[in-house]
Amino acid sequence: QVRVVESGGGLVQAGGSLRLSCAASGSIYRIHTMDWYRQVPGKQRELVATVTSDGSTNYADSQKGRFTISRDNAKNTAYLQMDSLRQEDTAVYYCRFLIQSRGSMPAGPAMYWGQGTQVTVSS
C-alpha cells in the first residue's frame, strides 16, 4: 500500500527556519501534484503551497516570499522550506500527494494524506 509520511516539524523561535519533508513509499507509478496544508485546532485546514508535476508552484498570500515548496521525483519526496517564521505559522502541517499507484491501474490516481507534523513558533 502507498504511504505518505511527514517529518521535520518542531519548535522554533519567530524569525527562524524549518524544512519539512514528505516522502511517499509503496508501489508508485507517478506522483502528480504535491501539496502542503496546515491546520490549527478549531479552524479549517488550509492550503499552504502546491507544486505540480511540471514544477509549477503556488502559494497562499501569507506564505509567499517566506516559504518554498520543491520536489525530488527520484525520491518521491516533497519539501517545504519555511523561513521568517511567525507565531501565526504554528499549526499541524500535512502533505497531500495525488498518486497513481501500480496496483490501482487502470483506475485513476487518488489522494494520499500524511499523518501531520507539528510546527510551533515561539515569540
Side-chain angles (χ1 to χ4, degrees), residues 10-70:
L11 176 65
V12 64
Q13 285 190 322
S17 298
L18 284 174
R19 189 172 82 150
L20 307 183
S21 299
C22 183
S25 62
S27 298
I28 298 169
Y29 177 73
R30 183 185 179 191
I31 302 177
H32 297 270
T33 57
M34 295 176 166
D35 308 320
W36 284 98
Y37 285 76
R38 68 185 184 186
Q39 188 169 27
V40 176
K43 296 184 178 180
Q44 291 185 333
R45 188 172 297 183
E46 64 177 358
L47 179 65
V48 174
T50 295
V51 58
T52 65
S53 59
D54 67 355
S56 297
T57 59
N58 196 22
Y59 302 89
D61 288 342
S62 62
Q63 286 83 53
K64 191 170 185 177
R66 300 187 298 120
F67 290 9
T68 303
I69 188 171
S70 61

Short mmCIF file of all heavy atoms in Angstrom, two decimals, residues 10-70:
data_model
loop_
_atom_site.label_atom_id
_atom_site.label_comp_id
_atom_site.label_asym_id
_atom_site.label_seq_id
_atom_site.Cartn_x
_atom_site.Cartn_y
_atom_site.Cartn_z
N GLY A 10 8.84 20.86 14.54
CA GLY A 10 9.45 21.09 15.83
C GLY A 10 9.16 22.48 16.35
O GLY A 10 8.27 23.17 15.86
N LEU A 11 9.93 22.88 17.35
CA LEU A 11 9.79 24.18 17.99
C LEU A 11 10.88 25.11 17.48
O LEU A 11 12.06 24.75 17.47
CB LEU A 11 9.89 24.04 19.51
CG LEU A 11 9.87 25.32 20.34
CD1 LEU A 11 8.52 26.02 20.20
CD2 LEU A 11 10.16 25.00 21.79
N VAL A 12 10.49 26.32 17.08
CA VAL A 12 11.44 27.29 16.55
C VAL A 12 11.02 28.69 16.99
O VAL A 12 9.82 28.96 17.17
CB VAL A 12 11.52 27.19 15.01
CG1 VAL A 12 10.19 27.55 14.37
CG2 VAL A 12 12.65 28.05 14.46
N GLN A 13 11.99 29.57 17.18
CA GLN A 13 11.69 30.95 17.53
C GLN A 13 11.20 31.73 16.32
O GLN A 13 11.54 31.41 15.18
CB GLN A 13 12.92 31.65 18.10
CG GLN A 13 13.27 31.26 19.52
CD GLN A 13 14.35 32.15 20.11
OE1 GLN A 13 15.28 32.54 19.42
NE2 GLN A 13 14.23 32.46 21.38
N ALA A 14 10.39 32.74 16.57
CA ALA A 14 9.95 33.62 15.50
C ALA A 14 11.16 34.18 14.76
O ALA A 14 12.15 34.57 15.37
CB ALA A 14 9.10 34.75 16.05
N GLY A 15 11.06 34.19 13.44
CA GLY A 15 12.17 34.61 12.60
C GLY A 15 13.08 33.49 12.16
O GLY A 15 13.92 33.69 11.27
N GLY A 16 12.91 32.32 12.75
CA GLY A 16 13.73 31.18 12.42
C GLY A 16 13.21 30.42 11.22
O GLY A 16 12.26 30.83 10.56
N SER A 17 13.84 29.27 10.97
CA SER A 17 13.53 28.47 9.79
C SER A 17 13.37 27.00 10.14
O SER A 17 13.96 26.50 11.10
CB SER A 17 14.64 28.60 8.74
OG SER A 17 14.78 29.93 8.29
N LEU A 18 12.58 26.31 9.35
CA LEU A 18 12.44 24.86 9.40
C LEU A 18 12.27 24.35 7.98
O LEU A 18 11.77 25.07 7.12
CB LEU A 18 11.23 24.43 10.22
CG LEU A 18 11.29 24.49 11.75
CD1 LEU A 18 9.92 24.16 12.33
CD2 LEU A 18 12.34 23.53 12.28
N ARG A 19 12.67 23.11 7.76
CA ARG A 19 12.38 22.45 6.50
C ARG A 19 11.64 21.15 6.77
O ARG A 19 12.14 20.27 7.47
CB ARG A 19 13.64 22.15 5.68
CG ARG A 19 13.29 21.66 4.27
CD ARG A 19 14.48 21.53 3.36
NE ARG A 19 15.20 20.28 3.55
CZ ARG A 19 15.88 19.65 2.60
NH1 ARG A 19 15.92 20.19 1.36
NH2 ARG A 19 16.53 18.55 2.86
N LEU A 20 10.44 21.06 6.21
CA LEU A 20 9.63 19.87 6.32
C LEU A 20 9.86 18.97 5.12
O LEU A 20 10.10 19.45 4.01
CB LEU A 20 8.14 20.22 6.40
CG LEU A 20 7.73 21.23 7.47
CD1 LEU A 20 6.21 21.41 7.45
CD2 LEU A 20 8.20 20.80 8.84
N SER A 21 9.77 17.67 5.35
CA SER A 21 9.89 16.69 4.28
C SER A 21 8.67 15.79 4.28
O SER A 21 8.08 15.53 5.33
CB SER A 21 11.15 15.82 4.45
OG SER A 21 12.32 16.60 4.42
N CYS A 22 8.30 15.31 3.12
CA CYS A 22 7.20 14.37 2.98
C CYS A 22 7.59 13.34 1.94
O CYS A 22 7.82 13.69 0.78
CB CYS A 22 5.92 15.10 2.56
SG CYS A 22 4.47 14.02 2.46
N ALA A 23 7.68 12.10 2.36
CA ALA A 23 8.13 11.02 1.49
C ALA A 23 7.04 9.98 1.30
O ALA A 23 6.40 9.56 2.27
CB ALA A 23 9.37 10.35 2.07
N ALA A 24 6.84 9.59 0.06
CA ALA A 24 5.88 8.54 -0.27
C ALA A 24 6.62 7.23 -0.54
O ALA A 24 7.74 7.23 -1.06
CB ALA A 24 5.06 8.92 -1.49
N SER A 25 6.00 6.13 -0.17
CA SER A 25 6.56 4.82 -0.41
C SER A 25 5.46 3.87 -0.87
O SER A 25 4.28 4.13 -0.66
CB SER A 25 7.26 4.27 0.83
OG SER A 25 6.34 4.12 1.90
N GLY A 26 5.87 2.77 -1.48
CA GLY A 26 4.92 1.79 -1.96
C GLY A 26 5.03 1.62 -3.46
O GLY A 26 6.01 2.03 -4.09
N SER A 27 4.02 1.00 -4.04
CA SER A 27 4.01 0.71 -5.47
C SER A 27 3.51 1.93 -6.24
O SER A 27 2.37 1.99 -6.68
CB SER A 27 3.14 -0.51 -5.75
OG SER A 27 3.64 -1.67 -5.11
N ILE A 28 4.39 2.90 -6.41
CA ILE A 28 4.05 4.18 -7.03
C ILE A 28 4.44 4.18 -8.49
O ILE A 28 5.58 3.88 -8.83
CB ILE A 28 4.74 5.34 -6.29
CG1 ILE A 28 4.26 5.41 -4.84
CG2 ILE A 28 4.49 6.65 -7.02
CD1 ILE A 28 5.07 6.34 -3.98
N TYR A 29 3.48 4.54 -9.32
CA TYR A 29 3.76 4.72 -10.74
C TYR A 29 4.14 6.16 -11.04
O TYR A 29 5.10 6.42 -11.74
CB TYR A 29 2.55 4.30 -11.59
CG TYR A 29 2.74 4.52 -13.06
CD1 TYR A 29 3.59 3.70 -13.80
CD2 TYR A 29 2.09 5.55 -13.73
CE1 TYR A 29 3.78 3.89 -15.15
CE2 TYR A 29 2.27 5.75 -15.09
CZ TYR A 29 3.12 4.92 -15.80
OH TYR A 29 3.30 5.13 -17.14
N ARG A 30 3.36 7.10 -10.49
CA ARG A 30 3.62 8.51 -10.73
C ARG A 30 2.96 9.34 -9.63
O ARG A 30 1.87 9.04 -9.20
CB ARG A 30 3.07 8.94 -12.09
CG ARG A 30 3.35 10.37 -12.46
CD ARG A 30 2.68 10.75 -13.76
NE ARG A 30 2.93 12.13 -14.11
CZ ARG A 30 2.31 12.79 -15.07
NH1 ARG A 30 1.38 12.18 -15.80
NH2 ARG A 30 2.61 14.05 -15.32
N ILE A 31 3.66 10.38 -9.21
CA ILE A 31 3.08 11.38 -8.32
C ILE A 31 2.81 12.63 -9.14
O ILE A 31 3.73 13.21 -9.71
CB ILE A 31 4.00 11.71 -7.13
CG1 ILE A 31 4.30 10.44 -6.33
CG2 ILE A 31 3.35 12.76 -6.24
CD1 ILE A 31 5.26 10.66 -5.17
N HIS A 32 1.55 13.03 -9.19
CA HIS A 32 1.15 14.17 -9.99
C HIS A 32 1.42 15.48 -9.24
O HIS A 32 2.43 16.14 -9.47
CB HIS A 32 -0.31 14.05 -10.39
CG HIS A 32 -0.60 12.87 -11.26
ND1 HIS A 32 -0.53 12.93 -12.63
CD2 HIS A 32 -0.93 11.59 -10.95
CE1 HIS A 32 -0.81 11.74 -13.13
NE2 HIS A 32 -1.05 10.91 -12.14
N THR A 33 0.54 15.85 -8.33
CA THR A 33 0.72 17.06 -7.56
C THR A 33 1.16 16.74 -6.14
O THR A 33 0.84 15.69 -5.59
CB THR A 33 -0.56 17.91 -7.50
OG1 THR A 33 -1.62 17.11 -6.96
CG2 THR A 33 -0.94 18.39 -8.88
N MET A 34 1.93 17.66 -5.55
CA MET A 34 2.36 17.57 -4.17
C MET A 34 1.94 18.86 -3.48
O MET A 34 2.29 19.95 -3.93
CB MET A 34 3.87 17.39 -4.08
CG MET A 34 4.39 16.08 -4.66
SD MET A 34 6.21 16.01 -4.61
CE MET A 34 6.49 14.27 -4.93
N ASP A 35 1.20 18.74 -2.39
CA ASP A 35 0.65 19.89 -1.68
C ASP A 35 1.06 19.86 -0.21
O ASP A 35 1.26 18.79 0.37
CB ASP A 35 -0.88 19.90 -1.73
CG ASP A 35 -1.44 19.77 -3.13
OD1 ASP A 35 -0.88 20.38 -4.06
OD2 ASP A 35 -2.46 19.05 -3.28
N TRP A 36 1.14 21.05 0.37
CA TRP A 36 1.26 21.20 1.82
C TRP A 36 0.05 21.96 2.33
O TRP A 36 -0.32 23.00 1.78
CB TRP A 36 2.54 21.93 2.21
CG TRP A 36 3.77 21.11 2.11
CD1 TRP A 36 4.66 21.08 1.09
CD2 TRP A 36 4.25 20.18 3.09
NE1 TRP A 36 5.68 20.20 1.37
CE2 TRP A 36 5.45 19.63 2.59
CE3 TRP A 36 3.80 19.76 4.35
CZ2 TRP A 36 6.20 18.68 3.30
CZ3 TRP A 36 4.54 18.82 5.04
CH2 TRP A 36 5.71 18.30 4.51
N TYR A 37 -0.55 21.43 3.39
CA TYR A 37 -1.65 22.07 4.10
C TYR A 37 -1.24 22.28 5.54
O TYR A 37 -0.28 21.69 6.03
CB TYR A 37 -2.90 21.19 4.06
CG TYR A 37 -3.65 21.16 2.75
CD1 TYR A 37 -3.17 20.43 1.68
CD2 TYR A 37 -4.85 21.84 2.61
CE1 TYR A 37 -3.86 20.39 0.48
CE2 TYR A 37 -5.55 21.80 1.41
CZ TYR A 37 -5.05 21.07 0.36
OH TYR A 37 -5.75 21.03 -0.83
N ARG A 38 -2.01 23.11 6.25
CA ARG A 38 -1.82 23.23 7.68
C ARG A 38 -3.17 23.44 8.36
O ARG A 38 -4.12 23.89 7.74
CB ARG A 38 -0.87 24.37 8.04
CG ARG A 38 -1.39 25.77 7.76
CD ARG A 38 -0.31 26.80 8.04
NE ARG A 38 -0.78 28.16 7.87
CZ ARG A 38 -0.01 29.23 7.94
NH1 ARG A 38 1.30 29.10 8.19
NH2 ARG A 38 -0.53 30.45 7.78
N GLN A 39 -3.22 23.11 9.65
CA GLN A 39 -4.47 23.21 10.38
C GLN A 39 -4.21 23.57 11.84
O GLN A 39 -3.35 22.97 12.49
CB GLN A 39 -5.25 21.90 10.31
CG GLN A 39 -6.65 21.99 10.89
CD GLN A 39 -7.49 20.76 10.56
OE1 GLN A 39 -6.95 19.68 10.36
NE2 GLN A 39 -8.79 20.94 10.51
N VAL A 40 -4.96 24.54 12.32
CA VAL A 40 -4.95 24.95 13.72
C VAL A 40 -6.22 24.40 14.35
O VAL A 40 -7.28 24.42 13.73
CB VAL A 40 -4.91 26.49 13.85
CG1 VAL A 40 -5.00 26.91 15.30
CG2 VAL A 40 -3.64 27.03 13.20
N PRO A 41 -6.16 23.90 15.60
CA PRO A 41 -7.37 23.39 16.24
C PRO A 41 -8.51 24.40 16.21
O PRO A 41 -8.31 25.58 16.53
CB PRO A 41 -6.92 23.10 17.68
CG PRO A 41 -5.47 22.79 17.54
CD PRO A 41 -4.97 23.70 16.45
N GLY A 42 -9.70 23.93 15.83
CA GLY A 42 -10.86 24.78 15.75
C GLY A 42 -11.00 25.55 14.45
O GLY A 42 -11.98 26.28 14.29
N LYS A 43 -10.05 25.41 13.55
CA LYS A 43 -10.11 26.11 12.28
C LYS A 43 -10.01 25.11 11.12
O LYS A 43 -9.58 23.97 11.29
CB LYS A 43 -8.99 27.14 12.17
CG LYS A 43 -9.09 28.26 13.19
CD LYS A 43 -8.02 29.32 12.97
CE LYS A 43 -8.15 30.45 13.97
NZ LYS A 43 -7.11 31.49 13.76
N GLN A 44 -10.40 25.58 9.95
CA GLN A 44 -10.35 24.74 8.76
C GLN A 44 -8.91 24.49 8.32
O GLN A 44 -8.03 25.34 8.49
CB GLN A 44 -11.11 25.39 7.60
CG GLN A 44 -12.62 25.44 7.78
CD GLN A 44 -13.31 25.99 6.54
OE1 GLN A 44 -12.74 26.76 5.78
NE2 GLN A 44 -14.54 25.57 6.34
N ARG A 45 -8.70 23.32 7.75
CA ARG A 45 -7.41 23.04 7.14
C ARG A 45 -7.26 23.92 5.90
O ARG A 45 -8.18 24.05 5.10
CB ARG A 45 -7.32 21.56 6.75
CG ARG A 45 -5.96 21.11 6.28
CD ARG A 45 -5.90 19.60 6.10
NE ARG A 45 -6.10 18.90 7.36
CZ ARG A 45 -6.04 17.58 7.50
NH1 ARG A 45 -5.77 16.81 6.46
NH2 ARG A 45 -6.25 17.03 8.68
N GLU A 46 -6.09 24.53 5.74
CA GLU A 46 -5.88 25.46 4.65
C GLU A 46 -4.68 25.05 3.81
O GLU A 46 -3.69 24.51 4.31
CB GLU A 46 -5.68 26.89 5.17
CG GLU A 46 -4.44 27.08 6.02
CD GLU A 46 -4.25 28.53 6.46
OE1 GLU A 46 -5.05 29.39 6.07
OE2 GLU A 46 -3.27 28.79 7.19
N LEU A 47 -4.78 25.34 2.54
CA LEU A 47 -3.70 25.05 1.61
C LEU A 47 -2.57 26.06 1.80
O LEU A 47 -2.80 27.26 1.86
CB LEU A 47 -4.21 25.11 0.17
CG LEU A 47 -3.19 24.86 -0.94
CD1 LEU A 47 -2.66 23.42 -0.87
CD2 LEU A 47 -3.80 25.13 -2.30
N VAL A 48 -1.34 25.56 1.89
CA VAL A 48 -0.16 26.39 2.06
C VAL A 48 0.57 26.57 0.74
O VAL A 48 0.92 27.69 0.34
CB VAL A 48 0.80 25.80 3.11
CG1 VAL A 48 2.10 26.60 3.18
CG2 VAL A 48 0.12 25.75 4.48
N ALA A 49 0.84 25.47 0.04
CA ALA A 49 1.63 25.53 -1.19
C ALA A 49 1.38 24.29 -2.02
O ALA A 49 1.03 23.23 -1.49
CB ALA A 49 3.12 25.67 -0.89
N THR A 50 1.59 24.42 -3.32
CA THR A 50 1.40 23.34 -4.27
C THR A 50 2.54 23.33 -5.27
O THR A 50 2.99 24.40 -5.70
CB THR A 50 0.07 23.49 -5.02
OG1 THR A 50 -1.02 23.37 -4.11
CG2 THR A 50 -0.08 22.44 -6.11
N VAL A 51 2.99 22.15 -5.65
CA VAL A 51 3.90 22.01 -6.77
C VAL A 51 3.35 20.92 -7.68
O VAL A 51 3.02 19.82 -7.24
CB VAL A 51 5.35 21.71 -6.32
CG1 VAL A 51 5.44 20.45 -5.48
CG2 VAL A 51 6.28 21.62 -7.53
N THR A 52 3.22 21.24 -8.97
CA THR A 52 2.67 20.31 -9.93
C THR A 52 3.77 19.45 -10.52
O THR A 52 4.96 19.63 -10.25
CB THR A 52 1.95 21.06 -11.05
OG1 THR A 52 2.89 21.85 -11.79
CG2 THR A 52 0.87 21.97 -10.48
N SER A 53 3.36 18.50 -11.37
CA SER A 53 4.32 17.57 -11.95
C SER A 53 5.32 18.26 -12.88
O SER A 53 6.42 17.74 -13.09
CB SER A 53 3.59 16.46 -12.71
OG SER A 53 2.77 16.98 -13.73
N ASP A 54 4.95 19.42 -13.44
CA ASP A 54 5.87 20.14 -14.31
C ASP A 54 6.71 21.16 -13.54
O ASP A 54 7.46 21.92 -14.16
CB ASP A 54 5.12 20.83 -15.45
CG ASP A 54 4.21 21.95 -14.99
OD1 ASP A 54 4.07 22.15 -13.77
OD2 ASP A 54 3.63 22.63 -15.86
N GLY A 55 6.59 21.18 -12.22
CA GLY A 55 7.39 22.06 -11.40
C GLY A 55 6.78 23.40 -11.09
O GLY A 55 7.41 24.21 -10.37
N SER A 56 5.59 23.68 -11.58
CA SER A 56 4.93 24.94 -11.27
C SER A 56 4.53 24.97 -9.80
O SER A 56 4.07 23.98 -9.25
CB SER A 56 3.71 25.14 -12.15
OG SER A 56 4.07 25.21 -13.52
N THR A 57 4.67 26.13 -9.17
CA THR A 57 4.37 26.29 -7.76
C THR A 57 3.33 27.36 -7.53
O THR A 57 3.16 28.28 -8.34
CB THR A 57 5.62 26.63 -6.95
OG1 THR A 57 6.19 27.86 -7.44
CG2 THR A 57 6.66 25.53 -7.07
N ASN A 58 2.65 27.25 -6.41
CA ASN A 58 1.66 28.24 -6.00
C ASN A 58 1.66 28.30 -4.48
O ASN A 58 1.86 27.28 -3.82
CB ASN A 58 0.28 27.89 -6.53
CG ASN A 58 -0.68 29.06 -6.46
OD1 ASN A 58 -0.27 30.21 -6.41
ND2 ASN A 58 -1.97 28.76 -6.47
N TYR A 59 1.43 29.50 -3.94
CA TYR A 59 1.48 29.73 -2.51
C TYR A 59 0.31 30.58 -2.06
O TYR A 59 -0.18 31.43 -2.80
CB TYR A 59 2.77 30.45 -2.10
CG TYR A 59 4.04 29.75 -2.49
CD1 TYR A 59 4.63 29.98 -3.73
CD2 TYR A 59 4.64 28.84 -1.62
CE1 TYR A 59 5.80 29.33 -4.09
CE2 TYR A 59 5.81 28.19 -1.97
CZ TYR A 59 6.38 28.44 -3.21
OH TYR A 59 7.54 27.80 -3.56
N ALA A 60 -0.11 30.36 -0.83
CA ALA A 60 -1.05 31.29 -0.21
C ALA A 60 -0.35 32.62 0.01
O ALA A 60 0.87 32.68 0.19
CB ALA A 60 -1.55 30.72 1.12
N ASP A 61 -1.12 33.71 0.02
CA ASP A 61 -0.52 35.04 0.11
C ASP A 61 0.32 35.23 1.37
O ASP A 61 1.36 35.89 1.33
CB ASP A 61 -1.62 36.11 0.06
CG ASP A 61 -2.24 36.25 -1.31
OD1 ASP A 61 -1.62 35.79 -2.30
OD2 ASP A 61 -3.34 36.82 -1.40
N SER A 62 -0.12 34.65 2.49
CA SER A 62 0.61 34.84 3.74
C SER A 62 1.95 34.12 3.76
O SER A 62 2.80 34.45 4.58
CB SER A 62 -0.24 34.39 4.92
OG SER A 62 -0.54 33.01 4.85
N GLN A 63 2.14 33.15 2.90
CA GLN A 63 3.38 32.39 2.85
C GLN A 63 4.32 32.78 1.70
O GLN A 63 5.52 32.51 1.77
CB GLN A 63 3.10 30.88 2.74
CG GLN A 63 2.60 30.24 4.01
CD GLN A 63 1.11 30.43 4.17
OE1 GLN A 63 0.33 30.09 3.28
NE2 GLN A 63 0.69 30.96 5.31
N LYS A 64 3.77 33.40 0.67
CA LYS A 64 4.57 33.73 -0.49
C LYS A 64 5.71 34.67 -0.10
O LYS A 64 5.50 35.68 0.56
CB LYS A 64 3.71 34.34 -1.58
CG LYS A 64 4.43 34.47 -2.91
CD LYS A 64 3.48 34.86 -4.02
CE LYS A 64 4.17 34.86 -5.36
NZ LYS A 64 3.25 35.19 -6.47
N GLY A 65 6.93 34.32 -0.53
CA GLY A 65 8.10 35.09 -0.18
C GLY A 65 8.83 34.57 1.04
O GLY A 65 9.99 34.94 1.27
N ARG A 66 8.18 33.73 1.83
CA ARG A 66 8.78 33.15 3.03
C ARG A 66 8.94 31.63 2.92
O ARG A 66 9.88 31.08 3.47
CB ARG A 66 7.96 33.47 4.27
CG ARG A 66 7.79 34.95 4.55
CD ARG A 66 7.12 35.19 5.89
NE ARG A 66 5.78 34.62 5.95
CZ ARG A 66 5.39 33.68 6.81
NH1 ARG A 66 6.24 33.21 7.71
NH2 ARG A 66 4.13 33.23 6.79
N PHE A 67 7.99 30.98 2.26
CA PHE A 67 8.01 29.52 2.12
C PHE A 67 8.37 29.14 0.69
O PHE A 67 8.04 29.86 -0.26
CB PHE A 67 6.64 28.92 2.45
CG PHE A 67 6.24 28.99 3.89
CD1 PHE A 67 6.95 29.73 4.82
CD2 PHE A 67 5.11 28.30 4.32
CE1 PHE A 67 6.56 29.78 6.15
CE2 PHE A 67 4.71 28.35 5.65
CZ PHE A 67 5.43 29.09 6.56
N THR A 68 9.03 27.99 0.55
CA THR A 68 9.39 27.47 -0.75
C THR A 68 9.06 25.98 -0.80
O THR A 68 9.54 25.22 0.04
CB THR A 68 10.88 27.67 -1.07
OG1 THR A 68 11.21 29.06 -0.98
CG2 THR A 68 11.19 27.17 -2.48
N ILE A 69 8.25 25.58 -1.77
CA ILE A 69 7.94 24.18 -1.96
C ILE A 69 8.78 23.64 -3.11
O ILE A 69 9.03 24.34 -4.10
CB ILE A 69 6.43 23.96 -2.23
CG1 ILE A 69 6.10 22.46 -2.23
CG2 ILE A 69 5.99 24.63 -3.51
CD1 ILE A 69 4.60 22.17 -2.28
N SER A 70 9.25 22.41 -2.97
CA SER A 70 10.04 21.78 -4.01
C SER A 70 9.78 20.28 -3.98
O SER A 70 9.16 19.75 -3.05
CB SER A 70 11.53 22.07 -3.83
OG SER A 70 12.00 21.58 -2.59
#
